[in-house]
Amino acid sequence: MPFSFELLKTDRSGARLGRMHTPHGVIDTPAFMPVGTAGTVKGLTQQALEELGVQILLGNTYHFYLRPGHEVIRGLGGLHKFMAWPRAILTDSGGYQVFSLADLRKVTDEGVKFRSHLDGSEHFLTPESALEIQTALGSDIMMVLDECIEHPASHERAEKAAARTLDWAKRARRALAAKGASNGGSQALFGIVQGGTYAGLRRASARDIVALDFDGYAVGGLAVGEPHALTCEMTEVVAPLLPADKPRYLMGVGKPEDIADYVMRGIDMMDCVLPTRSARHGCLFTSAGRVLIRNARHANDPRPVDEACSCAVCGRYSRAYLRHLFIANEILGAVLASHHNVHFYLDLMRRIRQSIEFGDLVGFSSELKSRLVAGPC
């Protein structure tokens, strides 16, 4: 089945209800993608993810390329077979990980030379090779290589990165055309809008990337340390310039209390490591705010983490037991916390979709913010 997107409804806030069709299943949007960096969502089996209702995962091209190698994965039948995951997968280009290496990489117009964080070996990533790696992986959605920059960055720096991102997007487009449709047309390719925190650069980048006619579009280079209000502002600048009949992906977000803000700005897809990373540190998301399970006040608490939650963890285990697991450094603590947090995010997205269907996302978002406690875990 080729990739396609159908827009089902847009509510008065600008939020969109949609559906993506991929060779490995349908994804209801707005969607949150749990991050499976190296072929695993940390702490959860694929069976558990299926039972939780995950429709799409994010995998990381950089990590697959370094270990075990994309040719190894190709030889084993592709990423879906390799990791025994029957549903959809989006792979990023590896650009963000490469650019986060700082002293271990050098960026030129041709591509990025970098040293592996594993053994120091030298590698060269180009728009063409990023596409080839993802083709070998066989992901349902591939991302073009872009230049992600730090925050804050000067106008000159952001302008240069946006221009380079555009050039790389053109090269990826040409490479795809030269080899024919990836895997028989089953793999979609998304372009990425850059431009830092400068509205003019964002608008220009969006117009240029859209002109290349990708299957979907991402807003990149945000969630890198800028305030939430600025993330929303840049998203609001870009989203109206993207085609209404194609999915919109805001990369690397977000906190539960912020997600509806992005959806109301026309975003269809998001990803973030926060659910499982927070879980491993004993931070659980609930309908009443964050619970830091290591705190002594939970030592004798027989209640579930969230009495309003329908997940298997809240249906079986007490706060006291979960605290005990973390204090005793038992692996099960992180596993159960991860299960709960992923469920929380997926249930939040379900409620957001329901609110869009009923035309009341603004009201739901206001009520949600009043319950959730903002701030780091």
Side-chain angles (χ1 to χ4, degrees):
M1 177 190 297
F3 177 89
S4 65
F5 175 74
E6 55 179 324
L7 182 60
L8 303 176
K9 181 177 181 178
T10 302
D11 90 345
R12 60 192 175 93
S13 72
R16 293 147 50 93
L17 192 68
R19 190 174 291 134
M20 283 192 298
H21 298 268
T22 77
H24 292 90
V26 174
I27 299 103
D28 297 309
T29 64
F32 179 85
M33 298 180 287
V35 176
T37 300
T40 170
V41 176
K42 288 182 172 58
L44 296 174
T45 65
Q46 277 73 321
Q47 180 180 341
L49 293 169
E50 287 184 69
E51 291 170 353
L52 282 165
V54 174
Q55 296 176 316
I56 182 170
L57 296 178
L58 183 146
N60 187 266
T61 295
Y62 168 85
H63 288 281
F64 291 130
Y65 166 69
L66 291 179
R67 184 172 56 192
H70 60 288
E71 292 298 348
V72 170
I73 294 175
R74 191 205 303 263
L76 290 168
L79 187 55
H80 290 87
K81 287 187 177 180
F82 178 65
M83 59 181 288
W85 176 248
R87 298 179 184 175
I89 299 174
L90 179 148
T91 47
D92 63 14
S93 68
Y96 178 80
Q97 283 68 33
V98 168
F99 294 120
S100 68
L101 293 174
D103 296 337
L104 296 178
R105 48 86 173 167
K106 180 180 180 181
V107 185
T108 67
D109 289 341
E110 182 59 28
V112 189
K113 182 182 292 186
F114 68 95
R115 291 192 177 277
S116 166
H117 72 288
L118 298 174
D119 58 11
S121 57
E122 191 172 275
H123 303 270
F124 192 58
L125 186 67
T126 68
E128 295 83 4
S129 64
L131 186 67
E132 175 57 33
I133 295 166
Q134 292 178 85
T135 301
L137 296 175
S139 54
D140 298 272
I141 300 173
M142 307 181 291
M143 304 300 299
V144 299
L145 183 66
D146 65 321
E147 183 175 9
C148 181
I149 59 175
E150 68 285 348
H151 174 79
S154 68
H155 187 280
E156 180 182 9
R157 172 92 170 95
E159 185 175 30
K160 186 174 182 179
R164 182 173 279 153
T165 293
L166 175 61
D167 179 60
W168 288 355
K170 291 177 179 177
R171 287 168 54 187
R173 240 356 198 148
R174 288 195 295 269
L176 188 65
K179 68 186 298 182
S182 295
N183 288 347
S186 62
Q187 290 182 275
L189 181 64
F190 282 22
I192 303 177
V193 175
Q194 286 290 348
T197 54
Y198 300 95
L201 294 180
R202 284 281 174 182
R203 291 189 187 98
S205 177
R207 287 192 294 266
D208 291 338
I209 295 295
V210 167
L212 297 177
D213 190 27
F214 287 100
D215 299 302
Y217 299 90
V219 183
L222 296 175
V224 291
E226 79 280 359
H228 170 63
L230 192 51
T231 308
C232 289
E233 180 184 341
M234 292 299 103
T235 304
E236 195 164 358
V237 165
V238 172
L241 301 176
L242 304 178
D245 61 348
K246 294 186 177 181
R248 304 164 179 173
Y249 169 27
L250 180 58
M251 306 177 79
V253 296
K255 295 177 182 177
E257 61 269 21
D258 296 340
I259 286 178
D261 292 337
Y262 306 133
V263 172
M264 287 190 289
R265 284 159 176 83
I267 294 301
D268 305 306
M269 304 165 63
M270 288 156 275
D271 76 281
C272 190
V273 298
L274 196 58
T276 50
R277 178 177 291 173
S278 297
R280 294 194 301 278
H281 289 88
C283 174
L284 292 94
F285 299 105
T286 79
S287 58
R290 291 162 170 79
V291 169
L292 302 179
I293 200 66
R294 290 179 180 271
N295 285 356
R297 64 173 173 269
H298 303 303
N300 297 298
D301 194 336
R303 296 177 300 160
V305 170
D306 186 353
E307 291 175 301
C309 179
S310 62
C311 83
V313 175
C314 288
R316 184 161 189 162
Y317 303 103
S318 69
R319 294 188 181 198
Y321 179 64
L322 289 175
R323 179 182 183 274
H324 159 72
L325 293 176
F326 274 94
I327 297 301
N329 291 319
E330 288 288 346
I331 293 173
L332 183 59
V335 170
L336 296 180
S338 297
H339 185 106
H340 168 82
N341 278 358
V342 171
H343 176 277
F344 178 87
Y345 266 72
L346 296 176
D347 188 60
L348 173 60
M349 299 312 297
R350 181 186 63 79
R351 291 172 184 269
I352 285 174
R353 291 193 296 269
Q354 185 179 63
S355 297
I356 298 172
E357 189 171 359
F358 292 152
D360 189 35
L361 183 57
V362 172
F364 173 78
S365 177
S366 177
E367 189 269 337
L368 178 72
K369 286 178 183 290
S370 71
R371 288 190 284 109
L372 299 184
V373 179
C377 296

